[in-house]
Amino acid sequence: MLSAADHTDRLEAAKRAIHSPSKSTIWKGYHDYQSLYMKGLLEGDEALQIEALKGLIDASESLGLDPTRYKNALKTIRPDLVKKAKKHETKEKKGAYVTPVSGKKRLKLKDSRVTGGYLVLRFSAALDRKNLRKFVLKRKKSILYVFDLTPVRLPYSIKRIKGKGFKEIRIAQYDPKKIRIVVETLKPYTPKASITGDRLKISLPSLRKAPAARKRAEAPKKRKDVSKKSPQKAAAKSPAATKTKALSNVLPGSALRRYTVVIDPGHGGKDGGAVGYQKRREKDAVLAVAKRLKKELQKRGFNVYLTREKDIFIPLKKRTRFANRKQADFFVSIHANAAAKRRNYLKNKGIETYFLSPAKTGRAKRVAAIENRAEIKNIDRYTKDAVLSMLNREKIIESNKLAIDLQRQMLASVRKKYKDVVDNGVRKGPFWVLVGAQMPAVLIEIGYITHPTEARRIFNPYYQKLLAEGIANGIESYIYHKTRSY
Ligand SMILES: [Zn+2]
């Protein structure tokens, strides 16, 4: 068994992350603490649970989440650590996304805008210069000019402003009292901050010249010169080049972003998964579909990894851990369904997509029980429930959205030829393989291996190709929706 000491590096990294000025980094730290807490639960390591819970409480407060459930969990291990529970927190228990602010003197942000080379913020009352702190953080590729202001309350948890001359401005509630304004630029400049009455004005980089953009445009040329092959020829040969272009047309403003997908063919090795019609095995069908999907996504410019390329056994925990290590944007676990009873072999058919959720409908429970079989028995019920109740709401919502796009596109694709494929819809369930994924994660049941027609289809290369194209379309459609909603 490991102790907290062995997780020192990860705990420290999470701590750094939750004290970062960037909201997305804080989220990352929060998720890291969650997975460390789960690790603590799974390994029975109390010291790790305590450290992770303390971090989760801090992170929740920075993110404006309700820390009550973490405090309660900490209370059960070390009641002495959770004495100073404040009154206002119980009042705000109902929603997970309440901003924990109370107090009277706090100023409100009324308005924020970029105008005439300045970021101008207007507050509900006069500001005090003493309450403004400035500092600079240097990153690998950018510089963060940070302005902390107290005591202020935001009407939102974070606002991002894009514009010319700077990379991004972020205004966020840093802790219950402090707001943090970050001006992120690619090149250094000297920002001036001035306070007049209820207004804070921060100067932005001058727009006169933008040498950074020009430099970037020149960079690929150099690379081409070095290459001995004719660049045109290389581009024409590679199907990836044309498809990547198609993808970037679909994704405005994100052409430079390369998404990473981890595909997880279910089961493998000693765990054959469901056995179906004519003794066909789930593990073989799903591996074949996963390989096709990999090719399809690569053609479209994605980075793709499989959790297994061969018929080998991989514990469930390791599958999402692999995806987390690869910093994947998506985790797609591929499975085939099976009717529980012989008399339903001809009745049960169709495609369905699951996302992880503690909800327990009878059907989801049954499917999850089958898919979890390989190891769920090693985990006691209390731990299972504890872990499922820890799931991050935002991740569940994103996984749900991904599941909707995948299901819709898969159906549309296979029905081009197989009109009778049944749409079993999007469902939620407690799938152990999805626990711990730090990205939107779904589990697809590509059909019933116990149904004679479907079993034949899911082993049929053409059907597999349509499935793979549908899943790839679903991922692109999710990205498209997401990009547009920002
Ligand atoms: Zn399965």
Side-chain angles (χ1 to χ4, degrees):
M1 193 186 295
L2 297 167
S3 73
D6 298 295
H7 300 293
T8 312
D9 287 354
R10 283 190 67 191
L11 282 166
E12 273 177 6
K15 187 167 199 163
R16 272 197 306 277
I18 65 162
H19 289 105
S20 134
S22 141
K23 182 100 171 184
S24 63
T25 310
I26 302 176
W27 270 114
K28 208 188 150 292
Y30 176 78
H31 292 149
D32 287 346
Y33 271 130
Q34 273 194 327
S35 69
L36 283 164
Y37 177 62
M38 287 182 196
K39 221 172 157 51
L41 282 172
L42 294 169
E43 293 168 1
D45 180 344
E46 277 197 351
L48 179 58
Q49 289 172 37
I50 291 168
E51 287 311 306
L53 284 168
K54 284 200 263 179
L56 283 166
I57 293 167
D58 285 349
S60 304
E61 277 160 1
S62 308
L63 291 165
L65 309 175
D66 178 13
T68 311
R69 58 181 171 157
Y70 303 125
K71 288 190 171 170
N72 289 341
L74 187 54
K75 234 184 264 173
T76 62
I77 319 173
R78 285 280 305 273
D80 55 307
L81 290 175
V82 211
K83 264 182 189 150
K84 43 182 183 174
K86 291 159 211 154
K87 268 179 201 154
H88 68 263
E89 280 156 7
T90 41
K91 251 192 285 169
E92 289 166 350
K93 223 175 11 192
K94 47 192 189 301
Y97 285 85
V98 286
T99 318
V101 268
S102 66
K104 295 129 213 167
K105 286 181 289 176
R106 200 153 307 161
L107 303 176
K108 279 186 191 160
L109 177 65
K110 290 285 197 189
D111 183 41
S112 55
R113 62 182 66 194
V114 169
T115 166
Y118 288 90
L119 169 68
V120 182
L121 304 167
R122 195 167 58 80
F123 297 88
S124 57
L127 298 164
D128 188 343
R129 230 206 130 79
K130 284 204 305 271
N131 297 330
L132 180 67
R133 262 192 73 223
K134 297 181 280 187
F135 57 95
V136 182
L137 293 169
K138 289 211 170 90
R139 286 197 174 161
K140 251 190 219 157
K141 287 182 181 162
S142 63
I143 306 150
L144 309 180
Y145 296 94
V146 182
F147 304 85
D148 283 346
L149 191 64
T150 50
V152 183
R153 155 187 184 169
L154 291 181
Y156 43 75
S157 58
I158 187 164
K159 177 175 181 178
R160 296 166 188 277
I161 305 171
K162 303 267 184 201
K164 283 185 184 150
F166 55 89
K167 197 164 172 242
E168 187 177 74
I169 295 172
R170 294 183 286 278
I171 306 169
Q173 191 78 46
Y174 184 70
D175 66 26
K177 281 187 187 152
K178 191 191 294 176
I179 66 163
R180 175 162 285 184
I181 302 147
V182 178
V183 179
E184 184 173 7
T185 65
L186 297 171
K187 298 214 105 194
Y189 84 113
T190 316
K192 292 199 180 76
S194 60
I195 286 175
T196 350
D198 61 354
R199 248 162 250 251
L200 168 65
K201 244 171 109 176
I202 298 168
S203 69
L204 298 171
S206 151
L207 270 177
R208 294 261 167 82
K209 48 203 165 171
R214 196 168 299 155
K215 238 183 223 166
R216 238 185 295 138
E218 276 164 11
K221 248 189 215 162
K222 269 186 205 157
R223 232 175 286 139
K224 275 184 196 166
D225 296 341
V226 176
S227 154
K228 280 176 190 165
K229 276 182 199 163
S230 148
Q232 274 154 330
K233 206 174 164 189
K237 257 191 181 171
S238 145
T242 49
K243 281 291 175 101
T244 311
K245 202 177 154 217
L247 174 63
S248 54
N249 287 340
V250 180
L251 309 172
S254 64
L256 294 174
R257 172 91 161 80
R258 240 165 101 83
Y259 289 88
T260 299
V261 183
V262 166
I263 307 166
D264 172 46
H267 314 279
K270 64 180 181 185
D271 170 19
V275 179
Y277 182 68
Q278 292 176 337
K279 300 246 163 67
R280 289 168 208 235
R281 288 172 313 182
E282 176 184 359
K283 65 173 184 179
D284 301 324
V286 297
L287 181 59
V289 172
K291 284 183 172 167
R292 270 175 207 280
L293 176 58
K294 180 182 179 181
K295 276 196 199 133
E296 184 61 35
L297 285 168
Q298 281 175 332
K299 271 202 290 184
R300 302 185 190 198
F302 285 85
N303 284 326
V304 188
Y305 301 96
L306 295 192
T307 52
R308 65 177 179 99
E309 303 260 359
K310 293 177 290 202
D311 183 18
I312 49 165
F313 176 77
I314 299 168
L316 297 180
K317 250 196 292 179
K318 286 201 172 159
R319 298 175 187 243
T320 39
R321 195 183 297 160
F322 174 76
N324 292 343
R325 256 205 319 264
K326 294 288 179 203
Q327 300 191 306
D329 299 286
F330 305 100
F331 181 80
V332 179
S333 192
I334 299 179
H335 290 257
N337 220 332
K341 291 180 182 134
R342 188 166 290 273
R343 66 179 138 86
N344 289 332
Y345 279 8
L346 290 174
K347 210 165 84 188
N348 293 0
K349 53 181 180 175
I351 296 177
E352 57 210 58
T353 305
Y354 285 87
F355 63 98
L356 180 63
S357 153
K360 293 164 187 169
T361 64
R363 183 194 181 103
K365 234 188 199 165
R366 185 186 65 72
V367 177
I370 298 172
E371 301 301 5
N372 291 335
R373 199 168 37 200
E375 57 204 82
I376 200 90
K377 53 178 179 281
N378 300 325
I379 301 155
D380 68 82
R381 209 203 147 93
Y382 171 77
T383 308
K384 257 190 291 181
D385 287 347
V387 170
L388 289 171
S389 71
M390 302 275 311
L391 299 175
N392 170 255
R393 264 187 63 79
E394 187 173 90
K395 216 164 56 195
I396 292 181
I397 293 167
E398 288 311 314
S399 302
N400 188 356
K401 288 183 185 164
L402 175 62
I404 291 169
D405 280 324
L406 285 178
Q407 178 73 12
R408 190 178 296 151
Q409 297 295 336
M410 258 190 301
L411 260 294
S413 183
V414 295
R415 279 180 179 165
K416 278 193 256 174
K417 178 159 180 337
Y418 305 88
K419 304 256 184 272
D420 61 335
V421 176
V422 173
D423 181 359
N424 287 325
V426 167
R427 296 155 183 279
K428 41 189 166 178
F431 290 93
W432 205 242
V433 69
L434 303 179
V435 170
Q438 289 167 352
M439 68 290 306
V442 297
L443 183 145
I444 297 170
E445 296 283 357
I446 55 171
Y448 278 79
I449 200 165
T450 41
H451 190 283
T453 314
E454 266 189 7
R456 239 177 271 130
R457 280 180 188 170
I458 61 181
F459 280 91
N460 172 325
Y462 186 67
Y463 189 80
Q464 290 176 347
K465 174 177 177 285
L466 291 179
L467 268 176
E469 284 172 2
I471 297 169
N473 291 342
I475 292 173
E476 286 190 344
S477 138
Y478 169 86
I479 296 170
Y480 177 68
H481 289 139
K482 183 142 179 95
T483 319
R484 299 227 336 184
S485 67
Y486 278 146

